[in-house]
């Protein structure tokens, strides 16, 4: 399946939709972790998947908090979760400077740390955990959509 086949924006079968908005302050990350933990618990997602989702979403949100807005500038990042029994989607949006993390090429993990260029490991990690990762810039907002399939499609 291609990434586009995994992409969705909610539908009639969605059993859950929640949004958390945080300032661009990494001290608020515990709120993000609690938000994801609560959602995963409500959906009955097992702990190992919950931990992976937390890792991927935290990586993406911390990057927004650290780099989307100029130093000393206040901004926000919103995380919207839409889910049903088959899949969970996270939409991370901010109004910071345009940046497409998916434009970064694949990381060559066979190189030693000294030989590897700086950056790119975060999006590599997110790509490994999630089933699809899509970026768009619309209405002066960065929109990163991450989707994880939870159960096989029953159709």
């Amino acid at each position: 399946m291609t990434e586009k086949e995994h992409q969705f924006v909610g539908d009639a079968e969605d059993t859950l939709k929640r949004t958390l908005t945080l300032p661009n302050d990494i001290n608020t990350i515990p709120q993000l972790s609690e938000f994801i933990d609560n959602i995963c618990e409500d959906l009955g997602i097992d702990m190992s998947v919950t931990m992976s989702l937390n890792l991927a979403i935290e990586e993406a949100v911390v990057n927004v908090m650290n780099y989307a807005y100029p130093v000393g500038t206040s901004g926000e990042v919103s995380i919207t979760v839409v889910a049903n029994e088959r899949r969970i989607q996270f939409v991370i949006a901010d109004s910071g400077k345009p940046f497409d993390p998916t434009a970064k090429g694949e990381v060559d993990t066979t190189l030693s740390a000294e030989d590897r260029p700086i950056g790119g490991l975060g999006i590599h990690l997110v790509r490994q955990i999630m089933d699809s990762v899509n970026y768009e810039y619309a209405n002066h907002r960065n929109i990163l959509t991450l989707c994880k399939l939870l159960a096989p499609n029953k159709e």
Side-chain angles (χ1 to χ4, degrees), residues 36-75:
I36 294 168
D37 287 346
N38 289 338
I39 288 167
C40 290
E41 185 177 327
D42 289 350
L43 292 169
I45 297 172
D46 71 58
M47 186 55 74
S48 65
V49 174
T50 298
M51 290 172 57
S52 293
L53 291 172
N54 242 318
L55 185 61
I57 305 310
E58 181 178 319
E59 179 63 37
V61 170
V62 166
N63 280 342
V64 170
M65 290 177 169
N66 285 336
Y67 304 114
Y69 300 97
V71 174
T73 303
S74 293

